[in-house]
Structure formats: C-alpha cells, structure tokens
Amino acid sequence: MLKAGFISLGCAKNLVDTEVMLGLLATNDIKITDNPHEADILIINTCSFIDSAKEESISTILQMADYKKHGNCKCLIVAGCLGQRYQQELLDELPEVDAIVGTGAWHRIIEAINDILVDHKRVLLVGETDTLYDETMPRISTTPFYSAYVKIAEGCSNCCSYCVIPKVRGSFRSRTMESIIAEVKNLVATGVKEINLIAQDTTSYGRDLYESPKLTDLLKELVKIDGLMWVRLLYCYPKYFSNELIELIATESKICKYIDLPLQHANDDILKAMLRQDGRKDIENLLTTLRARIPGITIRTSFIVGFPGETEEHFEDLKQFIMEQKFDRVGVFTYSQEDDTIAANLPQQLSDEIKQERYHSLMTLQCQISEQLNQELEGTVLDVLIEQVNTNESEIVVSGRSYREAPDVDGQIYVEKAMECKPGDVIKARIVQGFTYDVVAEKL
C-alpha cells in the first residue's frame, strides 16, 4: 500500500482543502503517515499570501525534496496557492517537484499521483475557478475531534489593492445553504462541538447565489442542530455586517460573542489607497453598535503597517485608533509588495526598517491593551472547552478556550484544579489572573 505524507501551510481555508485531499487519498487506498521518511508521496499544500508565507512554502518544499534522496519519496507534489500562482516557475526551477496542483484542482490529486507513478510524467493541474467542495466529499479531520472548520465560500471579489487572493483563488462563490447545513450535521454527529465558519469574506456569504447576503439565514438554520455548542464567525468584513446579523449574534446562545473583523487600517487616505470598502466613520459606527448590542463581545482584527505612502501622520492615526478602540486581539502585518497587485506599483514604497519599527510599535501597544483587558476579566466565570491535559514535571497542566478564544490564533486559559478533565470536556471556570495573551482560571 502506498503511503502519503501531507504538510498544510497557511490559513484555515487552506487546511480545509488539505483535509478533503486527505480524504480522497484514503478512499483510494493510500495510507496517511506523519513520518515523511516512510512516505512514497509527499504533498505540501502551500501559501503565497505574503513574502514570509512564500519563503516558508519554498523552504518546506526543499526540505521535503530531500526525502527523494534519503527516504522513500517517489512523488513530490506542490498544491495550493504558491503552486497556483507560480506554477510554471516552480516546475522550471525545482526539478525535484513532480506535480503542481492548483487551488481549484485539489479534486484531481489522485489523477496527479497516477500520472507521476504510472505514466512517469510531470504534471501541471491549474486551478479551476468554479471548484467548490461539498458535504459529499470525503474529508479527514486534522483538528481536535470537538472542533472543525467549515468553508462556506471560496475566492474573493473585493480586489483590495495589496491582495493576490482573487487572482489565486478566483472570484467569490458561495456553497449552497443546504450543503453547509448537511456538512455541519455530519460533523456534529461525529462529536464536533465547535464549528468555525470561514471564507475570505464571511459576511458576503450568499450574495452570488441568492442576490443578497444570507449569513444570517444560514446561522438561523445551523443553531437548530442538536449537539452543536458553538458557532464561531471568522473573517467577517464590515461592509455587509447587517443589524439583523448583529441582533442574531446578540440573542442566540450558540453563536459565539466573538467577531474576527479584518480592518487593515484606520486612516481614510490609506483605506482608499487599499481599495477598502469602508471608511473610518463606518468602522467606528459598526464597532460602537457591536459593543452596545452585544455586551461582552470579543473583537479580533488585523492591520497592515508600511503600506505605500503611509506617512508618520497616517501611522499615528492608526495607533490612536487602536488606543481608543482597545481591541481584544490584534494581528499586525508588515506590508508585502506582491506582484500583480495595484499596490505593488504605487509610489512611496517604504523601507523594511520603517515597516518593522511600526510593527513593533503597534505590537507593544497591543500587548499593553491585551494585558489590561485580561486583568479586567478577573472574577469572570466562563464556559471553558478543555483542549490539553499535559504532565509538566510533577504537575498536571490543563488548558482550554472559551468563546473569547478562536482556535490556533488566540491565547489559552490555563485551568487550576481540573486534573480530572479530559480534552473535549466543557467546564465552568473563574478567571483569577490575566496576562498579555493567556489567562489563569480555577475550575468551579
């Protein structure tokens, strides 16, 4: 029996593609292994969003290519965004690579393997812009048994000036509501308690299929599913964040009071140059409404520093905005000059030194804000989903997450007096001490 090893890089949206490809391998009698040395087939699902992601992808490809010399590997496949974006260049410059499988061609992974191993030829399968997975596709989960990502749409039609995603993954296209509901029911039947809804622009869900956003309607159906504890919304753009959606989040207990709202900047000049669809006043109004209507809401956002033409005044404007808003979670990225984007050709490109200075300035500020907010949580009682139970020297360390922490990107709650707990348990715990990223709690 052939054995395949798989490495998934980048975002959770990429991870879903990986899980579907793993399912296709397994249904074709290919055994999955986590030991690359014994794998006959090695597949790297790559990311190419920014320079650091491209560098990580290339480095991983080269590391795995070494197993063609010192392991069992007979078939090295580059899948995902990097392969889609630089398909021919990768084949030309990396002779070790046997196949490129683009972002929309994941369903042809078995075809690629057969072409390599049976017909002994190199393969280039470019992504198809209408490809969507559905609930009928085989899928092997790589996340803990109690949590799963569900991709409700693919691609993006926003065309922000710095972003390559529309070129790499195509225009925005939603899955049908029936397909998503069926998949979530299937996942909950296997023991999943937390569903994390993802897309490049979650709040635009349904615009292409139903002529208007339908995220609220989808959520109303999902919360009816017995056994589902949490539905979490990730990658919500401000433009289609309706009052109806806010009301549903406020009143429905199964929907996490947690919003991931990528804002990218707060200065109107920079937002305009980024081709973002919201101005500062729109953003401030939305944040005010969210906090007023949903007490206890956790808001995560992300910002880009060093965008072309960002002056010191623009940056200070952003910094002041962060100080005023006091976000619970903030991710900061330095601007990456990406080929085939409008921003790459803008004048006044900033130096890496300035970008790094501004990055560290914002991160230092956010650390102070996060620590203050976590300390203000002291005394609060939360439902905690246990994730890890580890023995550390002579001590048992138990950690988990509440509605306030998304998987993979946010901090942890370390729970005392919870030695008897196991992963997947949900307990009540009181926060006793807040730190910059994590908090300590006591099981009740």
Side-chain angles (χ1 to χ4, degrees), residues 85 157-167 270-276 307-309 335-349:
R85 190 175 175 193
S157 297
N158 291 327
C159 298
C160 299
S161 65
Y162 52 84
C163 185
V164 298
I165 287 173
K167 292 182 172 66
I270 299 299
L271 288 168
K272 184 177 180 181
M274 288 178 165
L275 300 183
R276 300 288 291 179
F307 188 82
Y335 167 73
S336 179
Q337 189 175 4
E338 295 299 315
D339 299 335
D340 301 322
T341 62
I342 295 171
N345 297 314
L346 291 176
Q348 297 177 284
Q349 299 284 334

PDB file of all heavy atoms in Angstrom, residues 85 157-167 270-276 307-309 335-349:
ATOM      1  N   ARG A  85      -0.045  30.170  -8.147  1.00  0.00           N
ATOM      2  CA  ARG A  85       0.463  31.489  -8.521  1.00  0.00           C
ATOM      3  C   ARG A  85       1.743  31.424  -9.349  1.00  0.00           C
ATOM      4  O   ARG A  85       1.945  32.233 -10.257  1.00  0.00           O
ATOM      5  CB  ARG A  85       0.701  32.296  -7.240  1.00  0.00           C
ATOM      6  CG  ARG A  85       1.005  33.749  -7.471  1.00  0.00           C
ATOM      7  CD  ARG A  85       1.089  34.480  -6.156  1.00  0.00           C
ATOM      8  NE  ARG A  85       1.508  35.862  -6.345  1.00  0.00           N
ATOM      9  CZ  ARG A  85       1.903  36.659  -5.369  1.00  0.00           C
ATOM     10  NH1 ARG A  85       1.900  36.206  -4.118  1.00  0.00           N
ATOM     11  NH2 ARG A  85       2.277  37.896  -5.613  1.00  0.00           N
ATOM     12  N   SER A 157     -14.066  38.671  -4.192  1.00  0.00           N
ATOM     13  CA  SER A 157     -14.346  39.646  -5.248  1.00  0.00           C
ATOM     14  C   SER A 157     -14.090  41.078  -4.791  1.00  0.00           C
ATOM     15  O   SER A 157     -14.474  42.029  -5.482  1.00  0.00           O
ATOM     16  CB  SER A 157     -15.802  39.507  -5.717  1.00  0.00           C
ATOM     17  OG  SER A 157     -16.022  38.237  -6.289  1.00  0.00           O
ATOM     18  N   ASN A 158     -13.448  41.252  -3.627  1.00  0.00           N
ATOM     19  CA  ASN A 158     -13.215  42.600  -3.107  1.00  0.00           C
ATOM     20  C   ASN A 158     -12.077  43.324  -3.817  1.00  0.00           C
ATOM     21  O   ASN A 158     -12.086  44.538  -3.954  1.00  0.00           O
ATOM     22  CB  ASN A 158     -12.946  42.558  -1.606  1.00  0.00           C
ATOM     23  CG  ASN A 158     -14.182  42.176  -0.814  1.00  0.00           C
ATOM     24  OD1 ASN A 158     -15.299  42.506  -1.210  1.00  0.00           O
ATOM     25  ND2 ASN A 158     -14.002  41.474   0.287  1.00  0.00           N
ATOM     26  N   CYS A 159     -11.064  42.579  -4.244  1.00  0.00           N
ATOM     27  CA  CYS A 159      -9.956  43.147  -5.024  1.00  0.00           C
ATOM     28  C   CYS A 159      -9.268  44.307  -4.304  1.00  0.00           C
ATOM     29  O   CYS A 159      -9.052  45.384  -4.888  1.00  0.00           O
ATOM     30  CB  CYS A 159     -10.421  43.574  -6.397  1.00  0.00           C
ATOM     31  SG  CYS A 159     -11.049  42.198  -7.403  1.00  0.00           S
ATOM     32  N   CYS A 160      -8.910  44.110  -3.031  1.00  0.00           N
ATOM     33  CA  CYS A 160      -8.106  45.102  -2.325  1.00  0.00           C
ATOM     34  C   CYS A 160      -6.769  45.255  -3.050  1.00  0.00           C
ATOM     35  O   CYS A 160      -6.245  44.292  -3.621  1.00  0.00           O
ATOM     36  CB  CYS A 160      -7.883  44.664  -0.877  1.00  0.00           C
ATOM     37  SG  CYS A 160      -9.412  44.478   0.074  1.00  0.00           S
ATOM     38  N   SER A 161      -6.209  46.442  -3.015  1.00  0.00           N
ATOM     39  CA  SER A 161      -5.080  46.753  -3.893  1.00  0.00           C
ATOM     40  C   SER A 161      -3.795  46.007  -3.539  1.00  0.00           C
ATOM     41  O   SER A 161      -2.889  45.923  -4.366  1.00  0.00           O
ATOM     42  CB  SER A 161      -4.808  48.261  -3.872  1.00  0.00           C
ATOM     43  OG  SER A 161      -4.375  48.684  -2.591  1.00  0.00           O
ATOM     44  N   TYR A 162      -3.705  45.461  -2.330  1.00  0.00           N
ATOM     45  CA  TYR A 162      -2.495  44.786  -1.883  1.00  0.00           C
ATOM     46  C   TYR A 162      -2.587  43.260  -1.995  1.00  0.00           C
ATOM     47  O   TYR A 162      -1.620  42.553  -1.715  1.00  0.00           O
ATOM     48  CB  TYR A 162      -2.223  45.129  -0.407  1.00  0.00           C
ATOM     49  CG  TYR A 162      -3.422  44.894   0.475  1.00  0.00           C
ATOM     50  CD1 TYR A 162      -3.711  43.632   0.988  1.00  0.00           C
ATOM     51  CD2 TYR A 162      -4.295  45.936   0.764  1.00  0.00           C
ATOM     52  CE1 TYR A 162      -4.836  43.409   1.763  1.00  0.00           C
ATOM     53  CE2 TYR A 162      -5.419  45.723   1.546  1.00  0.00           C
ATOM     54  CZ  TYR A 162      -5.682  44.470   2.037  1.00  0.00           C
ATOM     55  OH  TYR A 162      -6.805  44.246   2.799  1.00  0.00           O
ATOM     56  N   CYS A 163      -3.737  42.738  -2.405  1.00  0.00           N
ATOM     57  CA  CYS A 163      -4.033  41.314  -2.194  1.00  0.00           C
ATOM     58  C   CYS A 163      -4.074  40.528  -3.497  1.00  0.00           C
ATOM     59  O   CYS A 163      -4.667  40.958  -4.488  1.00  0.00           O
ATOM     60  CB  CYS A 163      -5.369  41.191  -1.469  1.00  0.00           C
ATOM     61  SG  CYS A 163      -5.784  39.500  -1.006  1.00  0.00           S
ATOM     62  N   VAL A 164      -3.489  39.322  -3.470  1.00  0.00           N
ATOM     63  CA  VAL A 164      -3.446  38.453  -4.650  1.00  0.00           C
ATOM     64  C   VAL A 164      -4.532  37.383  -4.634  1.00  0.00           C
ATOM     65  O   VAL A 164      -4.663  36.615  -5.594  1.00  0.00           O
ATOM     66  CB  VAL A 164      -2.070  37.755  -4.768  1.00  0.00           C
ATOM     67  CG1 VAL A 164      -0.963  38.771  -4.932  1.00  0.00           C
ATOM     68  CG2 VAL A 164      -1.812  36.838  -3.569  1.00  0.00           C
ATOM     69  N   ILE A 165      -5.312  37.309  -3.581  1.00  0.00           N
ATOM     70  CA  ILE A 165      -6.236  36.181  -3.423  1.00  0.00           C
ATOM     71  C   ILE A 165      -7.239  36.050  -4.573  1.00  0.00           C
ATOM     72  O   ILE A 165      -7.480  34.938  -5.050  1.00  0.00           O
ATOM     73  CB  ILE A 165      -6.936  36.253  -2.050  1.00  0.00           C
ATOM     74  CG1 ILE A 165      -5.921  35.871  -0.960  1.00  0.00           C
ATOM     75  CG2 ILE A 165      -8.141  35.316  -1.986  1.00  0.00           C
ATOM     76  CD1 ILE A 165      -6.405  36.043   0.445  1.00  0.00           C
ATOM     77  N   PRO A 166      -7.853  37.145  -5.072  1.00  0.00           N
ATOM     78  CA  PRO A 166      -8.764  36.956  -6.213  1.00  0.00           C
ATOM     79  C   PRO A 166      -8.076  36.329  -7.430  1.00  0.00           C
ATOM     80  O   PRO A 166      -8.700  35.558  -8.168  1.00  0.00           O
ATOM     81  CB  PRO A 166      -9.237  38.385  -6.517  1.00  0.00           C
ATOM     82  CG  PRO A 166      -9.121  39.104  -5.215  1.00  0.00           C
ATOM     83  CD  PRO A 166      -7.873  38.537  -4.583  1.00  0.00           C
ATOM     84  N   LYS A 167      -6.798  36.636  -7.627  1.00  0.00           N
ATOM     85  CA  LYS A 167      -6.072  36.054  -8.755  1.00  0.00           C
ATOM     86  C   LYS A 167      -5.712  34.594  -8.495  1.00  0.00           C
ATOM     87  O   LYS A 167      -5.634  33.793  -9.427  1.00  0.00           O
ATOM     88  CB  LYS A 167      -4.799  36.858  -9.042  1.00  0.00           C
ATOM     89  CG  LYS A 167      -5.052  38.258  -9.587  1.00  0.00           C
ATOM     90  CD  LYS A 167      -3.739  38.970  -9.879  1.00  0.00           C
ATOM     91  CE  LYS A 167      -3.992  40.297 -10.599  1.00  0.00           C
ATOM     92  NZ  LYS A 167      -4.692  41.259  -9.756  1.00  0.00           N
ATOM     93  N   ILE A 270      -5.359  55.958   3.558  1.00  0.00           N
ATOM     94  CA  ILE A 270      -4.768  54.637   3.341  1.00  0.00           C
ATOM     95  C   ILE A 270      -5.845  53.622   2.980  1.00  0.00           C
ATOM     96  O   ILE A 270      -5.657  52.792   2.087  1.00  0.00           O
ATOM     97  CB  ILE A 270      -3.976  54.185   4.582  1.00  0.00           C
ATOM     98  CG1 ILE A 270      -2.837  55.164   4.866  1.00  0.00           C
ATOM     99  CG2 ILE A 270      -3.417  52.775   4.385  1.00  0.00           C
ATOM    100  CD1 ILE A 270      -1.812  55.288   3.744  1.00  0.00           C
ATOM    101  N   LEU A 271      -6.997  53.690   3.648  1.00  0.00           N
ATOM    102  CA  LEU A 271      -8.100  52.781   3.315  1.00  0.00           C
ATOM    103  C   LEU A 271      -8.522  52.958   1.857  1.00  0.00           C
ATOM    104  O   LEU A 271      -8.799  51.982   1.149  1.00  0.00           O
ATOM    105  CB  LEU A 271      -9.290  53.027   4.238  1.00  0.00           C
ATOM    106  CG  LEU A 271      -9.120  52.565   5.693  1.00  0.00           C
ATOM    107  CD1 LEU A 271     -10.243  53.122   6.562  1.00  0.00           C
ATOM    108  CD2 LEU A 271      -9.087  51.052   5.781  1.00  0.00           C
ATOM    109  N   LYS A 272      -8.536  54.191   1.386  1.00  0.00           N
ATOM    110  CA  LYS A 272      -8.894  54.454  -0.005  1.00  0.00           C
ATOM    111  C   LYS A 272      -7.848  53.879  -0.953  1.00  0.00           C
ATOM    112  O   LYS A 272      -8.190  53.254  -1.970  1.00  0.00           O
ATOM    113  CB  LYS A 272      -9.034  55.962  -0.230  1.00  0.00           C
ATOM    114  CG  LYS A 272      -9.501  56.336  -1.623  1.00  0.00           C
ATOM    115  CD  LYS A 272      -9.697  57.839  -1.746  1.00  0.00           C
ATOM    116  CE  LYS A 272     -10.163  58.217  -3.152  1.00  0.00           C
ATOM    117  NZ  LYS A 272     -10.346  59.702  -3.291  1.00  0.00           N
ATOM    118  N   ALA A 273      -6.574  54.060  -0.609  1.00  0.00           N
ATOM    119  CA  ALA A 273      -5.496  53.518  -1.448  1.00  0.00           C
ATOM    120  C   ALA A 273      -5.502  51.990  -1.445  1.00  0.00           C
ATOM    121  O   ALA A 273      -5.111  51.350  -2.420  1.00  0.00           O
ATOM    122  CB  ALA A 273      -4.144  54.041  -0.963  1.00  0.00           C
ATOM    123  N   MET A 274      -5.957  51.404  -0.353  1.00  0.00           N
ATOM    124  CA  MET A 274      -6.069  49.941  -0.261  1.00  0.00           C
ATOM    125  C   MET A 274      -7.293  49.400  -1.015  1.00  0.00           C
ATOM    126  O   MET A 274      -7.449  48.187  -1.147  1.00  0.00           O
ATOM    127  CB  MET A 274      -6.193  49.515   1.210  1.00  0.00           C
ATOM    128  CG  MET A 274      -4.926  49.659   2.020  1.00  0.00           C
ATOM    129  SD  MET A 274      -5.238  49.174   3.755  1.00  0.00           S
ATOM    130  CE  MET A 274      -3.556  48.989   4.362  1.00  0.00           C
ATOM    131  N   LEU A 275      -8.159  50.316  -1.471  1.00  0.00           N
ATOM    132  CA  LEU A 275      -9.430  49.952  -2.122  1.00  0.00           C
ATOM    133  C   LEU A 275     -10.354  49.198  -1.170  1.00  0.00           C
ATOM    134  O   LEU A 275     -11.124  48.321  -1.580  1.00  0.00           O
ATOM    135  CB  LEU A 275      -9.194  49.134  -3.400  1.00  0.00           C
ATOM    136  CG  LEU A 275      -8.368  49.819  -4.497  1.00  0.00           C
ATOM    137  CD1 LEU A 275      -8.285  48.932  -5.723  1.00  0.00           C
ATOM    138  CD2 LEU A 275      -8.962  51.184  -4.866  1.00  0.00           C
ATOM    139  N   ARG A 276     -10.267  49.558   0.103  1.00  0.00           N
ATOM    140  CA  ARG A 276     -11.194  49.005   1.077  1.00  0.00           C
ATOM    141  C   ARG A 276     -12.554  49.667   0.912  1.00  0.00           C
ATOM    142  O   ARG A 276     -12.648  50.815   0.467  1.00  0.00           O
ATOM    143  CB  ARG A 276     -10.669  49.218   2.504  1.00  0.00           C
ATOM    144  CG  ARG A 276      -9.326  48.572   2.767  1.00  0.00           C
ATOM    145  CD  ARG A 276      -9.434  47.071   2.859  1.00  0.00           C
ATOM    146  NE  ARG A 276     -10.158  46.646   4.050  1.00  0.00           N
ATOM    147  CZ  ARG A 276     -10.402  45.380   4.355  1.00  0.00           C
ATOM    148  NH1 ARG A 276      -9.997  44.419   3.537  1.00  0.00           N
ATOM    149  NH2 ARG A 276     -11.055  45.064   5.445  1.00  0.00           N
ATOM    150  N   PHE A 307       2.152  50.414   4.425  1.00  0.00           N
ATOM    151  CA  PHE A 307       1.564  50.448   3.087  1.00  0.00           C
ATOM    152  C   PHE A 307       2.161  51.625   2.320  1.00  0.00           C
ATOM    153  O   PHE A 307       2.488  52.661   2.915  1.00  0.00           O
ATOM    154  CB  PHE A 307       0.046  50.597   3.206  1.00  0.00           C
ATOM    155  CG  PHE A 307      -0.695  50.449   1.919  1.00  0.00           C
ATOM    156  CD1 PHE A 307      -0.992  49.193   1.420  1.00  0.00           C
ATOM    157  CD2 PHE A 307      -1.077  51.577   1.191  1.00  0.00           C
ATOM    158  CE1 PHE A 307      -1.678  49.048   0.219  1.00  0.00           C
ATOM    159  CE2 PHE A 307      -1.759  51.435  -0.011  1.00  0.00           C
ATOM    160  CZ  PHE A 307      -2.058  50.173  -0.503  1.00  0.00           C
ATOM    161  N   PRO A 308       2.314  51.506   0.997  1.00  0.00           N
ATOM    162  CA  PRO A 308       2.909  52.602   0.222  1.00  0.00           C
ATOM    163  C   PRO A 308       2.225  53.942   0.502  1.00  0.00           C
ATOM    164  O   PRO A 308       0.996  54.044   0.462  1.00  0.00           O
ATOM    165  CB  PRO A 308       2.690  52.160  -1.225  1.00  0.00           C
ATOM    166  CG  PRO A 308       2.642  50.675  -1.166  1.00  0.00           C
ATOM    167  CD  PRO A 308       1.993  50.339   0.140  1.00  0.00           C
ATOM    168  N   GLY A 309       3.034  54.941   0.810  1.00  0.00           N
ATOM    169  CA  GLY A 309       2.502  56.270   1.077  1.00  0.00           C
ATOM    170  C   GLY A 309       2.050  56.494   2.503  1.00  0.00           C
ATOM    171  O   GLY A 309       1.588  57.593   2.837  1.00  0.00           O
ATOM    172  N   TYR A 335       3.472  45.437   5.404  1.00  0.00           N
ATOM    173  CA  TYR A 335       3.055  45.392   4.005  1.00  0.00           C
ATOM    174  C   TYR A 335       4.055  44.599   3.172  1.00  0.00           C
ATOM    175  O   TYR A 335       5.265  44.778   3.271  1.00  0.00           O
ATOM    176  CB  TYR A 335       2.920  46.813   3.438  1.00  0.00           C
ATOM    177  CG  TYR A 335       2.796  46.820   1.937  1.00  0.00           C
ATOM    178  CD1 TYR A 335       1.622  46.399   1.319  1.00  0.00           C
ATOM    179  CD2 TYR A 335       3.867  47.211   1.126  1.00  0.00           C
ATOM    180  CE1 TYR A 335       1.519  46.377  -0.060  1.00  0.00           C
ATOM    181  CE2 TYR A 335       3.764  47.192  -0.250  1.00  0.00           C
ATOM    182  CZ  TYR A 335       2.587  46.767  -0.840  1.00  0.00           C
ATOM    183  OH  TYR A 335       2.485  46.730  -2.203  1.00  0.00           O
ATOM    184  N   SER A 336       3.515  43.713   2.340  1.00  0.00           N
ATOM    185  CA  SER A 336       4.324  42.881   1.447  1.00  0.00           C
ATOM    186  C   SER A 336       4.014  43.286   0.008  1.00  0.00           C
ATOM    187  O   SER A 336       2.856  43.260  -0.415  1.00  0.00           O
ATOM    188  CB  SER A 336       3.988  41.402   1.666  1.00  0.00           C
ATOM    189  OG  SER A 336       4.736  40.575   0.813  1.00  0.00           O
ATOM    190  N   GLN A 337       5.032  43.699  -0.726  1.00  0.00           N
ATOM    191  CA  GLN A 337       4.867  44.172  -2.103  1.00  0.00           C
ATOM    192  C   GLN A 337       4.715  42.969  -3.033  1.00  0.00           C
ATOM    193  O   GLN A 337       5.682  42.320  -3.399  1.00  0.00           O
ATOM    194  CB  GLN A 337       6.072  45.025  -2.511  1.00  0.00           C
ATOM    195  CG  GLN A 337       5.899  45.740  -3.840  1.00  0.00           C
ATOM    196  CD  GLN A 337       7.077  46.664  -4.132  1.00  0.00           C
ATOM    197  OE1 GLN A 337       8.048  46.720  -3.386  1.00  0.00           O
ATOM    198  NE2 GLN A 337       6.987  47.413  -5.218  1.00  0.00           N
ATOM    199  N   GLU A 338       3.473  42.679  -3.403  1.00  0.00           N
ATOM    200  CA  GLU A 338       3.167  41.464  -4.148  1.00  0.00           C
ATOM    201  C   GLU A 338       2.992  41.740  -5.640  1.00  0.00           C
ATOM    202  O   GLU A 338       2.289  42.673  -6.027  1.00  0.00           O
ATOM    203  CB  GLU A 338       1.892  40.821  -3.588  1.00  0.00           C
ATOM    204  CG  GLU A 338       2.030  40.323  -2.159  1.00  0.00           C
ATOM    205  CD  GLU A 338       3.086  39.254  -2.010  1.00  0.00           C
ATOM    206  OE1 GLU A 338       3.111  38.339  -2.848  1.00  0.00           O
ATOM    207  OE2 GLU A 338       3.893  39.349  -1.068  1.00  0.00           O
ATOM    208  N   ASP A 339       3.644  40.912  -6.457  1.00  0.00           N
ATOM    209  CA  ASP A 339       3.486  41.018  -7.909  1.00  0.00           C
ATOM    210  C   ASP A 339       2.010  40.945  -8.284  1.00  0.00           C
ATOM    211  O   ASP A 339       1.215  40.280  -7.631  1.00  0.00           O
ATOM    212  CB  ASP A 339       4.227  39.867  -8.609  1.00  0.00           C
ATOM    213  CG  ASP A 339       5.723  39.887  -8.338  1.00  0.00           C
ATOM    214  OD1 ASP A 339       6.244  40.974  -8.038  1.00  0.00           O
ATOM    215  OD2 ASP A 339       6.354  38.812  -8.403  1.00  0.00           O
ATOM    216  N   ASP A 340       1.677  41.602  -9.375  1.00  0.00           N
ATOM    217  CA  ASP A 340       0.318  41.550  -9.939  1.00  0.00           C
ATOM    218  C   ASP A 340      -0.739  42.172  -9.034  1.00  0.00           C
ATOM    219  O   ASP A 340      -1.917  41.814  -9.096  1.00  0.00           O
ATOM    220  CB  ASP A 340      -0.092  40.103 -10.262  1.00  0.00           C
ATOM    221  CG  ASP A 340       0.854  39.453 -11.261  1.00  0.00           C
ATOM    222  OD1 ASP A 340       1.296  40.150 -12.188  1.00  0.00           O
ATOM    223  OD2 ASP A 340       1.148  38.255 -11.105  1.00  0.00           O
ATOM    224  N   THR A 341      -0.305  43.089  -8.156  1.00  0.00           N
ATOM    225  CA  THR A 341      -1.283  43.848  -7.375  1.00  0.00           C
ATOM    226  C   THR A 341      -1.117  45.333  -7.697  1.00  0.00           C
ATOM    227  O   THR A 341      -0.040  45.785  -8.087  1.00  0.00           O
ATOM    228  CB  THR A 341      -1.099  43.646  -5.855  1.00  0.00           C
ATOM    229  OG1 THR A 341       0.199  44.133  -5.470  1.00  0.00           O
ATOM    230  CG2 THR A 341      -1.235  42.189  -5.471  1.00  0.00           C
ATOM    231  N   ILE A 342      -2.183  46.084  -7.512  1.00  0.00           N
ATOM    232  CA  ILE A 342      -2.143  47.531  -7.778  1.00  0.00           C
ATOM    233  C   ILE A 342      -1.141  48.215  -6.863  1.00  0.00           C
ATOM    234  O   ILE A 342      -0.364  49.076  -7.280  1.00  0.00           O
ATOM    235  CB  ILE A 342      -3.550  48.131  -7.588  1.00  0.00           C
ATOM    236  CG1 ILE A 342      -4.509  47.567  -8.643  1.00  0.00           C
ATOM    237  CG2 ILE A 342      -3.512  49.650  -7.656  1.00  0.00           C
ATOM    238  CD1 ILE A 342      -5.964  47.933  -8.402  1.00  0.00           C
ATOM    239  N   ALA A 343      -1.124  47.817  -5.594  1.00  0.00           N
ATOM    240  CA  ALA A 343      -0.269  48.487  -4.621  1.00  0.00           C
ATOM    241  C   ALA A 343       1.221  48.302  -4.913  1.00  0.00           C
ATOM    242  O   ALA A 343       2.040  49.137  -4.527  1.00  0.00           O
ATOM    243  CB  ALA A 343      -0.590  47.974  -3.214  1.00  0.00           C
ATOM    244  N   ALA A 344       1.562  47.226  -5.596  1.00  0.00           N
ATOM    245  CA  ALA A 344       2.976  46.971  -5.894  1.00  0.00           C
ATOM    246  C   ALA A 344       3.576  48.059  -6.763  1.00  0.00           C
ATOM    247  O   ALA A 344       4.794  48.299  -6.732  1.00  0.00           O
ATOM    248  CB  ALA A 344       3.124  45.623  -6.584  1.00  0.00           C
ATOM    249  N   ASN A 345       2.725  48.743  -7.539  1.00  0.00           N
ATOM    250  CA  ASN A 345       3.203  49.776  -8.455  1.00  0.00           C
ATOM    251  C   ASN A 345       2.978  51.191  -7.940  1.00  0.00           C
ATOM    252  O   ASN A 345       3.220  52.159  -8.664  1.00  0.00           O
ATOM    253  CB  ASN A 345       2.510  49.616  -9.816  1.00  0.00           C
ATOM    254  CG  ASN A 345       2.845  48.283 -10.465  1.00  0.00           C
ATOM    255  OD1 ASN A 345       3.996  47.877 -10.504  1.00  0.00           O
ATOM    256  ND2 ASN A 345       1.816  47.584 -10.950  1.00  0.00           N
ATOM    257  N   LEU A 346       2.503  51.307  -6.701  1.00  0.00           N
ATOM    258  CA  LEU A 346       2.304  52.628  -6.125  1.00  0.00           C
ATOM    259  C   LEU A 346       3.642  53.270  -5.769  1.00  0.00           C
ATOM    260  O   LEU A 346       4.600  52.573  -5.415  1.00  0.00           O
ATOM    261  CB  LEU A 346       1.434  52.534  -4.873  1.00  0.00           C
ATOM    262  CG  LEU A 346      -0.038  52.172  -5.066  1.00  0.00           C
ATOM    263  CD1 LEU A 346      -0.727  52.022  -3.704  1.00  0.00           C
ATOM    264  CD2 LEU A 346      -0.758  53.217  -5.907  1.00  0.00           C
ATOM    265  N   PRO A 347       3.732  54.598  -5.854  1.00  0.00           N
ATOM    266  CA  PRO A 347       4.969  55.274  -5.415  1.00  0.00           C
ATOM    267  C   PRO A 347       5.080  55.246  -3.895  1.00  0.00           C
ATOM    268  O   PRO A 347       4.163  54.807  -3.192  1.00  0.00           O
ATOM    269  CB  PRO A 347       4.776  56.703  -5.932  1.00  0.00           C
ATOM    270  CG  PRO A 347       3.292  56.888  -5.991  1.00  0.00           C
ATOM    271  CD  PRO A 347       2.726  55.537  -6.362  1.00  0.00           C
ATOM    272  N   GLN A 348       6.190  55.727  -3.398  1.00  0.00           N
ATOM    273  CA  GLN A 348       6.439  55.853  -1.956  1.00  0.00           C
ATOM    274  C   GLN A 348       6.380  54.512  -1.235  1.00  0.00           C
ATOM    275  O   GLN A 348       5.766  54.389  -0.173  1.00  0.00           O
ATOM    276  CB  GLN A 348       5.441  56.831  -1.317  1.00  0.00           C
ATOM    277  CG  GLN A 348       5.553  58.257  -1.841  1.00  0.00           C
ATOM    278  CD  GLN A 348       4.505  59.168  -1.237  1.00  0.00           C
ATOM    279  OE1 GLN A 348       3.332  59.125  -1.604  1.00  0.00           O
ATOM    280  NE2 GLN A 348       4.932  59.986  -0.285  1.00  0.00           N
ATOM    281  N   GLN A 349       7.015  53.505  -1.826  1.00  0.00           N
ATOM    282  CA  GLN A 349       7.189  52.233  -1.118  1.00  0.00           C
ATOM    283  C   GLN A 349       8.121  52.474   0.075  1.00  0.00           C
ATOM    284  O   GLN A 349       9.140  53.147  -0.046  1.00  0.00           O
ATOM    285  CB  GLN A 349       7.789  51.189  -2.058  1.00  0.00           C
ATOM    286  CG  GLN A 349       6.943  50.882  -3.279  1.00  0.00           C
ATOM    287  CD  GLN A 349       5.738  49.996  -2.987  1.00  0.00           C
ATOM    288  OE1 GLN A 349       5.758  49.218  -2.034  1.00  0.00           O
ATOM    289  NE2 GLN A 349       4.706  50.112  -3.808  1.00  0.00           N
TER     290      GLN A 349
END
